[in-house]
Amino acid sequence: MANVKVNINRFKNLCFVGLNKVEFHPEGGDVMFAENWMDLIDDQARRSMMLGFFAPRDLSGDPMDPEEVLTMGQHTAEDSTFNFIQQVKSISLFDFCRIEKAAPNTVNILVVADVIFHWDMNDNFVTPTTPESWVRDVTDIINQYPRQTARNIYTAWDTSLAQEELKDIKFHNLREMPLDSGMWLNMPSIQEKYANHSLVAGIVVALGIYGFLYYQSGTITNLQRQVQVAQQRSGGVSDLRTMQQKVNEVENFQKHGSIFSLILKDVALAIDSAGFAIDAFTIENPSPTNPADALIATLTSKENAYRGFAQEEAISKAILRNSATITAVRKPPAPNALRLTLEGLIPLSDVSRDVAEYQRIARANQKETPAEEAEKAVEPPPNAPVESATP
Amino acid sequence: MIKFTLGIALAIFAIIVGGYQYFANEDLIVRQNQRLLDIERQKVDAQQVQIRLRRIADKLMPRGDDQRANIEKLLNLEETKLTFRFLTQANPTDPASRYFYRHDFEITGPIDYFKGMQMINKADNLPGAVLYQTCFNCTRLGRGVTASTEAGEQILLIKGYLYVHNPEGNSRG
């Protein structure tokens, strides 16, 4: 996996472990030096601290055990490993010997604690130094490189005098030191880095969803209460469908009410007017279980009253002509060939319409008649005596 | 690591369960709203049916008047040879008969033409009566009826329904 840059400023406290000396940069404080880093650092400082050290490779080419470097060879007890792990648990460990190689034709130098650490495009090196001799030591190192080589020094030490002697070198603050993830031995994984965030987010999401569902259930409870109240107020509408069916049934049956006798009279008059030799007649709803749209009038003649098509046709037409309600006549297959049977169709909607029209005209005539009578009552009769002629 | 997994698991669990519950609740809310609308609609329908009920109730025979003797009196059947019979007997205590119920009736017997027409007219105008068959000089009499006609008389058969209105059912509704 490719190394990524790590910003050194993410760490509030910086601690560099040299060969025999430790340099500690607390946040907002003065630089401190000591022989053991554990003496300098308290629990507060551990929380956001970079602990840089130099663990050179052994003869087999493998990096040294950081524990050995950081304990400075003082640990011997078996339980010291456990103690060490406990000590560095919350500290970010950076092994500078695992730093990425420098750009071509560039040499970078880090001066901290009692060490000059420099690295170029090939390798990195650790050189012991002291505050008194570091300028000379740096000069010796630089002299190993061609003049055109770019040179960078990262240090927090006083460089006012050194800048005069080391003119071709670019001085940088220690906080500008480039770090990469390859140096970070205990770099937290995404899971470790965002563990608390994830847990908090999970709890927040769960609580949010719970809250929203609680609000939603409140809405449901409110609606259910409204439904209950509405049901109580509406009372017995549970059998509304039955009620509607019954009302519809009664209304449909009553739609053409009280015209049955009128139809009967009309058919009887038609029989009489046409001179039909009647024996029996029936008027019925062909489907009594349903409200009638039409009635059927069945007329049966006396025996041998009509013979042949000419007589039957003529009397049928006469019936049709003399009835105001029968709109069509047919001769059904009759069980008794000696009697003529005719069936007349009586559409009830037409009859109801005609009856309603007749009733409207009759009511209008009834209103006019009293008015005319009143006018006649006011006018004196032509032969009425003149008032002035009376004594 | 455990915290991270726990947080993610908690969030996923909450989203899945919450999402399912959300849609279930939304469905319930829609159904409750629909039910509320239905009840309101039913209420309006019930009011309309009540109005229709009151309008047609006046044209029907009130419950209690649908007695044979009462109907015979209304039709003046004592003065004729006609017989009134109920063909079916409705059960007024049936829940389906809460507002209305109907009887099938039959009037049959010998009568002359003029009185027969009068009888049909009376039967047609009887409250709640709906005639569906009349027959003059019928060859078929009503069930169990035997009659002999005199001069000028014919057998008359009238069949119809008698709708009876139950005012108590109406007041309960």
Side-chain angles (χ1 to χ4, degrees):
Chain A
M1 197 174 73
N3 293 336
V4 294
K5 296 290 178 193
V6 176
N7 187 357
I8 196 171
N9 290 317
R10 67 185 292 175
F11 306 106
K12 291 176 181 173
N13 306 307
L14 304 178
C15 185
F16 296 92
V17 180
L19 297 176
N20 294 304
K21 209 173 177 182
V22 175
E23 182 178 328
F24 178 53
H25 297 259
E27 183 189 19
D30 295 331
V31 180
M32 291 187 283
F33 292 90
E35 291 189 351
N36 194 329
W37 62 274
M38 293 183 193
D39 300 338
L40 288 172
I41 298 160
D42 56 6
D43 288 343
Q44 186 70 25
R46 286 170 198 271
R47 288 183 185 168
S48 178
M49 194 179 88
M50 183 205 86
L51 184 63
F53 58 93
F54 308 93
R57 289 178 295 279
D58 57 15
L59 293 174
S60 63
D62 297 327
M64 282 178 68
D65 184 9
E67 185 187 351
E68 198 171 325
V69 177
L70 288 172
T71 54
M72 295 175 166
Q74 291 173 4
H75 79 289
T76 50
E78 287 182 359
D79 60 344
S80 64
T81 302
F82 177 77
N83 289 337
F84 173 74
I85 292 170
Q86 289 296 318
Q87 288 281 346
V88 300
K89 197 168 72 175
S90 56
I91 299 174
S92 300
L93 301 177
F94 280 79
D95 180 5
F96 280 75
C97 290
R98 303 186 195 203
I99 196 168
E100 268 192 341
K101 291 180 172 62
N105 209 22
T106 303
V107 60
N108 299 312
I109 301 167
L110 170 69
V111 183
V112 286
D114 57 350
V115 164
I116 296 175
F117 174 74
H118 75 276
W119 70 102
D120 55 26
M121 61 179 289
N122 296 318
D123 209 343
N124 54 65
F125 310 91
V126 179
T127 311
T129 190
T130 62
E132 294 77 24
S133 66
W134 73 273
V135 178
R136 194 172 61 245
D137 295 337
V138 169
T139 308
D140 290 343
I141 291 167
I142 286 168
N143 288 339
Q144 296 169 15
Y145 292 90
R147 279 183 174 279
Q148 299 82 2
T149 307
R151 298 142 186 180
N152 298 304
I153 285 189
Y154 300 91
T155 184
W157 292 5
D158 182 13
T159 56
S160 53
L161 293 172
Q163 283 182 359
E164 292 177 7
E165 290 189 33
L166 306 170
K167 288 181 180 171
D168 298 335
I169 297 179
K170 194 174 180 183
F171 286 85
H172 297 274
N173 190 290
L174 196 61
R175 286 274 176 185
E176 296 173 23
M177 173 71 194
L179 302 177
D180 61 72
S181 57
M183 302 161 66
W184 198 345
L185 299 186
N186 57 352
M187 184 176 171
S189 62
I190 290 175
Q191 287 91 336
E192 287 169 339
K193 195 173 173 184
Y194 296 107
N196 288 332
H197 298 82
S198 165
L199 189 61
V200 170
I203 291 170
V204 167
V205 167
L207 285 176
I209 288 173
Y210 175 78
F212 181 73
L213 291 179
Y214 182 78
Y215 167 76
Q216 219 182 17
S217 66
T219 309
I220 291 169
T221 309
N222 192 24
L223 269 173
Q224 283 172 337
R225 200 173 296 131
Q226 283 181 26
V227 168
Q228 277 179 355
V229 170
Q231 274 179 335
Q232 284 168 359
R233 281 186 184 168
S234 65
V237 293
S238 55
D239 56 350
L240 180 65
R241 189 177 292 275
T242 312
M243 198 167 151
Q244 279 176 326
Q245 284 175 347
K246 285 278 178 187
V247 171
N248 286 343
E249 179 191 322
V250 176
E251 280 183 343
N252 286 333
F253 269 111
Q254 293 276 334
K255 193 165 65 178
H256 305 296
S258 301
I259 59 171
F260 203 93
S261 56
L262 193 74
I263 290 168
L264 193 76
K265 281 176 201 164
D266 175 71
V267 174
L269 281 172
I271 290 168
D272 185 46
S273 303
F276 188 76
I278 189 78
D279 181 55
F281 75 97
T282 306
I283 296 176
E284 63 185 340
N285 175 2
S287 174
T289 51
N290 298 315
D293 291 328
L295 297 177
I296 300 291
T298 308
L299 317 180
T300 309
S301 73
K302 291 178 178 170
E303 280 188 4
N304 299 320
Y306 303 99
R307 287 175 178 271
F309 176 79
Q311 289 183 352
E312 290 173 357
E313 171 79 0
I315 194 67
S316 300
K317 283 186 175 174
I319 292 285
L320 197 58
R321 195 169 50 247
N322 286 290
S323 172
T325 56
I326 296 174
T327 56
V329 171
R330 74 165 193 150
K331 182 187 171 190
N336 189 344
L338 298 175
R339 296 176 188 271
L340 171 64
T341 303
L342 296 178
E343 277 184 358
L345 179 71
I346 303 166
L348 288 177
S349 54
D350 292 352
V351 177
S352 289
R353 195 184 57 235
D354 292 345
V355 168
E357 179 67 16
Y358 171 78
Q359 286 173 342
R360 190 184 64 76
I361 293 168
R363 275 197 297 271
N365 288 340
Q366 273 181 350
K367 281 180 186 173
E368 283 175 9
T369 309
E372 285 172 5
E373 283 175 359
E375 281 176 11
K376 282 177 185 173
V378 171
E379 285 177 10
N383 55 353
V386 181
E387 282 185 8
S388 57
T390 54
Chain B
M1 183 68 180
I2 291 173
K3 284 183 186 175
F4 184 84
T5 311
L6 192 65
I8 295 288
L10 189 62
I12 291 172
F13 176 76
I15 288 169
I16 291 173
V17 174
Y20 175 80
Q21 193 60 43
Y22 167 78
F23 286 113
N25 285 353
E26 278 295 301
D27 190 42
L28 197 60
I29 287 172
V30 169
R31 274 191 282 132
Q32 290 294 335
N33 274 322
Q34 195 64 44
R35 205 168 156 203
L36 202 60
L37 283 175
D38 283 346
I39 289 171
E40 291 296 323
R41 206 176 295 126
Q42 278 181 354
K43 203 172 157 186
V44 173
D45 287 350
Q47 286 170 348
Q48 288 175 347
V49 170
Q50 287 284 345
I51 292 168
R52 289 166 64 194
L53 199 64
R54 278 197 290 273
R55 201 165 53 216
I56 59 171
D58 298 338
K59 298 178 185 173
L60 307 185
M61 180 167 282
R63 183 183 171 185
D65 289 357
D66 53 333
Q67 304 295 321
R68 183 182 167 181
N70 183 52
I71 294 165
E72 283 178 346
K73 195 176 171 186
L74 285 171
L75 296 174
N76 290 328
L77 286 184
E78 301 87 350
E79 298 170 5
T80 64
K81 296 177 186 174
L82 296 175
T83 311
F84 177 88
R85 292 195 316 153
F86 282 120
L87 298 176
T88 58
Q89 194 72 36
N91 179 12
T93 57
D94 187 350
S97 307
R98 180 176 164 184
Y99 305 102
F100 309 108
Y101 54 93
R102 78 177 185 194
H103 306 286
D104 277 22
F105 71 87
E106 180 185 86
I107 303 169
T108 185
I111 195 167
D112 66 49
Y113 173 76
F114 182 71
K115 285 183 180 172
M117 292 297 279
Q118 282 182 325
M119 185 53 61
I120 291 168
N121 198 23
K122 279 181 191 171
D124 199 21
N125 288 302
L126 191 70
V130 178
L131 305 187
Y132 60 81
Q133 188 181 19
T134 58
C135 177
F136 258 113
N137 199 20
C138 296
T139 52
R140 177 172 57 83
L141 281 170
R143 273 180 296 171
V145 175
T146 52
S148 57
T149 54
E150 293 173 5
E153 287 182 339
Q154 291 136 345
I155 296 296
L156 173 68
L157 174 69
I158 302 170
K159 279 187 173 181
Y161 298 124
L162 184 66
Y163 276 94
V164 180
H165 168 233
N166 183 7
E168 290 172 19
N170 192 15
S171 63
R172 272 186 289 154

